[in-house]
Every structure is written in structure tokens, then in C-alpha cells.
Short mmCIF file of all heavy atoms in Angstrom, two decimals:
data_model
loop_
_atom_site.label_atom_id
_atom_site.label_comp_id
_atom_site.label_asym_id
_atom_site.label_seq_id
_atom_site.Cartn_x
_atom_site.Cartn_y
_atom_site.Cartn_z
N PRO A 826 12.74 -46.01 24.99
CA PRO A 826 13.12 -47.43 24.99
C PRO A 826 13.56 -48.01 26.33
O PRO A 826 13.86 -49.20 26.39
CB PRO A 826 14.32 -47.44 24.03
CG PRO A 826 14.99 -46.13 24.30
CD PRO A 826 13.88 -45.15 24.57
N ASP A 827 13.62 -47.21 27.40
CA ASP A 827 14.31 -47.66 28.62
C ASP A 827 13.40 -48.25 29.68
O ASP A 827 13.87 -48.65 30.74
CB ASP A 827 15.09 -46.49 29.22
CG ASP A 827 16.21 -46.02 28.30
OD1 ASP A 827 16.84 -46.89 27.66
OD2 ASP A 827 16.44 -44.80 28.20
N ARG A 828 12.12 -48.31 29.44
CA ARG A 828 11.13 -48.89 30.34
C ARG A 828 11.08 -48.19 31.70
O ARG A 828 10.85 -48.81 32.73
CB ARG A 828 11.34 -50.39 30.52
CG ARG A 828 10.02 -51.12 30.83
CD ARG A 828 10.15 -52.62 30.81
NE ARG A 828 8.81 -53.23 30.80
CZ ARG A 828 8.58 -54.54 30.76
NH1 ARG A 828 9.59 -55.39 30.72
NH2 ARG A 828 7.35 -54.99 30.75
N HIS A 829 11.28 -46.88 31.67
CA HIS A 829 11.11 -46.08 32.88
C HIS A 829 9.73 -45.41 32.84
O HIS A 829 8.82 -45.91 32.16
CB HIS A 829 12.23 -45.05 33.01
CG HIS A 829 13.59 -45.66 33.19
ND1 HIS A 829 13.82 -46.72 34.04
CD2 HIS A 829 14.79 -45.35 32.62
CE1 HIS A 829 15.10 -47.05 34.01
NE2 HIS A 829 15.71 -46.25 33.15
N GLU A 830 9.57 -44.34 33.57
CA GLU A 830 8.29 -43.65 33.63
C GLU A 830 7.76 -43.32 32.23
O GLU A 830 8.54 -43.00 31.33
CB GLU A 830 8.42 -42.36 34.45
CG GLU A 830 8.43 -42.57 35.95
CD GLU A 830 9.76 -43.01 36.54
OE1 GLU A 830 10.69 -43.29 35.76
OE2 GLU A 830 9.86 -43.09 37.78
N PRO A 831 6.44 -43.38 32.05
CA PRO A 831 5.88 -43.18 30.71
C PRO A 831 5.86 -41.73 30.24
O PRO A 831 5.39 -41.48 29.12
CB PRO A 831 4.46 -43.74 30.85
CG PRO A 831 4.14 -43.59 32.30
CD PRO A 831 5.43 -43.82 33.02
N ASP A 832 6.36 -40.79 31.03
CA ASP A 832 6.41 -39.41 30.55
C ASP A 832 7.78 -39.07 29.99
O ASP A 832 8.13 -37.91 29.82
CB ASP A 832 6.03 -38.42 31.65
CG ASP A 832 6.85 -38.58 32.92
OD1 ASP A 832 7.75 -39.45 32.96
OD2 ASP A 832 6.60 -37.84 33.88
N GLU A 833 8.59 -40.11 29.67
CA GLU A 833 9.86 -39.88 29.01
C GLU A 833 9.98 -40.83 27.82
O GLU A 833 9.28 -41.83 27.73
CB GLU A 833 11.04 -40.13 29.95
CG GLU A 833 11.26 -41.60 30.31
CD GLU A 833 12.64 -41.86 30.91
OE1 GLU A 833 13.17 -40.96 31.57
OE2 GLU A 833 13.17 -42.96 30.71
N GLY A 834 10.86 -40.47 26.89
CA GLY A 834 11.12 -41.37 25.78
C GLY A 834 10.42 -40.94 24.50
O GLY A 834 9.96 -39.82 24.35
N GLU A 835 10.30 -41.89 23.58
CA GLU A 835 9.91 -41.58 22.21
C GLU A 835 8.41 -41.60 21.96
O GLU A 835 7.97 -41.26 20.84
CB GLU A 835 10.58 -42.57 21.26
CG GLU A 835 10.11 -44.01 21.41
CD GLU A 835 11.01 -45.01 20.69
OE1 GLU A 835 12.24 -44.86 20.78
OE2 GLU A 835 10.48 -45.92 20.06
N VAL A 836 7.61 -41.99 22.93
CA VAL A 836 6.17 -42.12 22.72
C VAL A 836 5.43 -40.95 23.40
O VAL A 836 5.70 -40.62 24.56
CB VAL A 836 5.65 -43.45 23.29
CG1 VAL A 836 4.13 -43.55 23.14
CG2 VAL A 836 6.33 -44.63 22.58
N ASN A 837 4.49 -40.37 22.69
CA ASN A 837 3.65 -39.29 23.23
C ASN A 837 2.46 -39.91 23.96
O ASN A 837 1.36 -40.03 23.42
CB ASN A 837 3.18 -38.37 22.10
CG ASN A 837 2.41 -37.16 22.62
OD1 ASN A 837 2.06 -37.08 23.79
ND2 ASN A 837 2.14 -36.21 21.73
N PHE A 838 2.70 -40.31 25.20
CA PHE A 838 1.65 -40.98 25.96
C PHE A 838 0.51 -40.03 26.33
O PHE A 838 -0.63 -40.49 26.49
CB PHE A 838 2.23 -41.64 27.20
CG PHE A 838 2.88 -42.97 26.93
CD1 PHE A 838 4.24 -43.16 27.10
CD2 PHE A 838 2.13 -44.05 26.51
CE1 PHE A 838 4.84 -44.38 26.85
CE2 PHE A 838 2.70 -45.28 26.25
CZ PHE A 838 4.07 -45.45 26.42
N SER A 839 0.78 -38.76 26.49
CA SER A 839 -0.32 -37.82 26.76
C SER A 839 -1.37 -37.89 25.66
O SER A 839 -2.58 -37.92 25.93
CB SER A 839 0.23 -36.39 26.90
OG SER A 839 1.04 -36.27 28.04
N TYR A 840 -0.91 -37.90 24.43
CA TYR A 840 -1.82 -38.02 23.29
C TYR A 840 -2.56 -39.35 23.32
O TYR A 840 -3.78 -39.41 23.11
CB TYR A 840 -1.03 -37.88 21.99
CG TYR A 840 -1.81 -38.27 20.76
CD1 TYR A 840 -2.75 -37.40 20.21
CD2 TYR A 840 -1.62 -39.52 20.16
CE1 TYR A 840 -3.47 -37.75 19.08
CE2 TYR A 840 -2.34 -39.89 19.04
CZ TYR A 840 -3.26 -39.01 18.50
OH TYR A 840 -3.99 -39.37 17.40
N LEU A 841 -1.83 -40.42 23.60
CA LEU A 841 -2.46 -41.74 23.58
C LEU A 841 -3.46 -41.92 24.70
O LEU A 841 -4.49 -42.58 24.52
CB LEU A 841 -1.38 -42.83 23.64
CG LEU A 841 -0.47 -42.94 22.41
CD1 LEU A 841 0.61 -43.99 22.65
CD2 LEU A 841 -1.25 -43.26 21.16
N MET A 842 -3.21 -41.33 25.87
CA MET A 842 -4.19 -41.43 26.95
C MET A 842 -5.49 -40.73 26.58
O MET A 842 -6.59 -41.23 26.86
CB MET A 842 -3.61 -40.82 28.24
CG MET A 842 -2.45 -41.61 28.85
SD MET A 842 -2.82 -43.35 29.21
CE MET A 842 -1.91 -44.16 27.89
N LYS A 843 -5.39 -39.60 25.91
CA LYS A 843 -6.61 -38.91 25.45
C LYS A 843 -7.33 -39.75 24.40
O LYS A 843 -8.56 -39.83 24.38
CB LYS A 843 -6.24 -37.54 24.89
CG LYS A 843 -5.73 -36.57 25.93
CD LYS A 843 -5.24 -35.27 25.31
CE LYS A 843 -4.63 -34.34 26.36
NZ LYS A 843 -4.06 -33.11 25.75
N LEU A 844 -6.56 -40.37 23.52
CA LEU A 844 -7.16 -41.23 22.50
C LEU A 844 -7.88 -42.41 23.14
O LEU A 844 -8.99 -42.78 22.72
CB LEU A 844 -6.08 -41.72 21.54
CG LEU A 844 -6.54 -42.72 20.47
CD1 LEU A 844 -7.60 -42.11 19.57
CD2 LEU A 844 -5.34 -43.22 19.66
N ILE A 845 -7.25 -43.03 24.13
CA ILE A 845 -7.87 -44.16 24.82
C ILE A 845 -9.21 -43.75 25.42
O ILE A 845 -10.20 -44.49 25.35
CB ILE A 845 -6.91 -44.71 25.88
CG1 ILE A 845 -5.75 -45.48 25.20
CG2 ILE A 845 -7.62 -45.63 26.87
CD1 ILE A 845 -4.61 -45.81 26.12
N ASP A 846 -9.26 -42.56 25.99
CA ASP A 846 -10.53 -42.04 26.51
C ASP A 846 -11.54 -41.88 25.39
O ASP A 846 -12.71 -42.28 25.51
CB ASP A 846 -10.30 -40.68 27.18
CG ASP A 846 -10.16 -40.79 28.68
OD1 ASP A 846 -10.33 -41.89 29.22
OD2 ASP A 846 -9.89 -39.76 29.32
N THR A 847 -11.11 -41.28 24.30
CA THR A 847 -12.00 -41.04 23.17
C THR A 847 -12.57 -42.34 22.62
O THR A 847 -13.74 -42.40 22.20
CB THR A 847 -11.25 -40.30 22.05
OG1 THR A 847 -10.76 -39.06 22.53
CG2 THR A 847 -12.16 -40.05 20.84
N LEU A 848 -11.78 -43.39 22.66
CA LEU A 848 -12.21 -44.68 22.14
C LEU A 848 -13.12 -45.44 23.10
O LEU A 848 -13.60 -46.53 22.78
CB LEU A 848 -10.99 -45.53 21.79
CG LEU A 848 -10.12 -44.99 20.63
CD1 LEU A 848 -8.86 -45.83 20.48
CD2 LEU A 848 -10.90 -44.97 19.33
N GLY A 849 -13.31 -44.89 24.29
CA GLY A 849 -14.27 -45.47 25.22
C GLY A 849 -13.75 -46.59 26.09
O GLY A 849 -14.53 -47.32 26.71
N TYR A 850 -12.43 -46.73 26.19
CA TYR A 850 -11.87 -47.77 27.05
C TYR A 850 -12.16 -47.44 28.51
O TYR A 850 -11.88 -46.34 28.99
CB TYR A 850 -10.36 -47.86 26.83
CG TYR A 850 -9.66 -48.86 27.72
CD1 TYR A 850 -9.81 -50.23 27.51
CD2 TYR A 850 -8.84 -48.45 28.77
CE1 TYR A 850 -9.16 -51.15 28.31
CE2 TYR A 850 -8.19 -49.36 29.57
CZ TYR A 850 -8.36 -50.72 29.35
OH TYR A 850 -7.72 -51.63 30.15
N ASP A 851 -12.74 -48.39 29.24
CA ASP A 851 -13.10 -48.14 30.63
C ASP A 851 -12.38 -49.06 31.61
O ASP A 851 -12.75 -49.17 32.77
CB ASP A 851 -14.62 -48.27 30.83
CG ASP A 851 -15.15 -49.66 30.51
OD1 ASP A 851 -14.35 -50.53 30.07
OD2 ASP A 851 -16.36 -49.90 30.69
N GLY A 852 -11.33 -49.75 31.12
CA GLY A 852 -10.57 -50.64 31.99
C GLY A 852 -9.41 -49.92 32.65
O GLY A 852 -9.32 -48.69 32.66
N TRP A 853 -8.51 -50.71 33.19
CA TRP A 853 -7.34 -50.17 33.88
C TRP A 853 -6.16 -50.03 32.92
O TRP A 853 -6.02 -50.80 31.97
CB TRP A 853 -6.93 -51.09 35.03
CG TRP A 853 -7.91 -51.12 36.15
CD1 TRP A 853 -8.93 -52.02 36.32
CD2 TRP A 853 -7.99 -50.21 37.25
NE1 TRP A 853 -9.64 -51.72 37.46
CE2 TRP A 853 -9.09 -50.62 38.05
CE3 TRP A 853 -7.25 -49.10 37.63
CZ2 TRP A 853 -9.45 -49.96 39.21
CZ3 TRP A 853 -7.60 -48.44 38.80
CH2 TRP A 853 -8.69 -48.85 39.57
N VAL A 854 -5.32 -49.05 33.21
CA VAL A 854 -4.03 -48.89 32.53
C VAL A 854 -2.95 -49.13 33.58
O VAL A 854 -2.84 -48.38 34.56
CB VAL A 854 -3.88 -47.49 31.91
CG1 VAL A 854 -2.47 -47.31 31.33
CG2 VAL A 854 -4.93 -47.26 30.83
N GLY A 855 -2.17 -50.18 33.39
CA GLY A 855 -1.15 -50.53 34.37
C GLY A 855 0.17 -49.85 34.07
O GLY A 855 0.64 -49.85 32.93
N GLY A 856 0.77 -49.28 35.10
CA GLY A 856 2.11 -48.72 34.97
C GLY A 856 3.12 -49.83 35.20
O GLY A 856 3.55 -50.07 36.34
N GLU A 857 3.52 -50.51 34.14
CA GLU A 857 4.44 -51.63 34.25
C GLU A 857 5.83 -51.16 33.81
O GLU A 857 6.28 -51.43 32.70
CB GLU A 857 3.98 -52.82 33.40
CG GLU A 857 4.77 -54.09 33.72
CD GLU A 857 4.44 -55.25 32.80
OE1 GLU A 857 4.38 -55.06 31.58
OE2 GLU A 857 4.24 -56.37 33.33
N TYR A 858 6.49 -50.45 34.70
CA TYR A 858 7.78 -49.87 34.35
C TYR A 858 8.73 -49.92 35.53
O TYR A 858 8.33 -50.14 36.68
CB TYR A 858 7.61 -48.43 33.86
CG TYR A 858 7.11 -47.45 34.91
CD1 TYR A 858 7.97 -46.81 35.79
CD2 TYR A 858 5.75 -47.13 34.99
CE1 TYR A 858 7.53 -45.90 36.73
CE2 TYR A 858 5.28 -46.23 35.94
CZ TYR A 858 6.17 -45.61 36.80
OH TYR A 858 5.72 -44.72 37.75
N ILE A 859 10.02 -49.69 35.23
CA ILE A 859 11.07 -49.68 36.25
C ILE A 859 11.37 -48.22 36.59
O ILE A 859 11.91 -47.48 35.76
CB ILE A 859 12.34 -50.37 35.73
CG1 ILE A 859 12.03 -51.80 35.29
CG2 ILE A 859 13.44 -50.35 36.79
CD1 ILE A 859 13.14 -52.44 34.48
N PRO A 860 11.02 -47.75 37.76
CA PRO A 860 11.25 -46.34 38.10
C PRO A 860 12.72 -45.96 38.01
O PRO A 860 13.62 -46.76 38.30
CB PRO A 860 10.73 -46.24 39.53
CG PRO A 860 9.74 -47.36 39.66
CD PRO A 860 10.31 -48.47 38.84
#
């Protein structure tokens, strides 16, 4: 919930990044967070 780096917190972003690939998304993923 803290809007820091996406490798922390309650969301499994590693899984979601693989899913995004599987779904064929070819755009950009922006890191919009507060380090």
C-alpha cells in the first residue's frame, strides 16, 4: 500500500509481469512510484 518499489507489498508483481507477457501486451510499463 505504500507506493514504493513494486517488489514490496501485497501484490505479486512477478506473477503479473509474466501474465502481461502471456497476454501479449507490447506497450510500456511505467514505474510510477516513490522510491
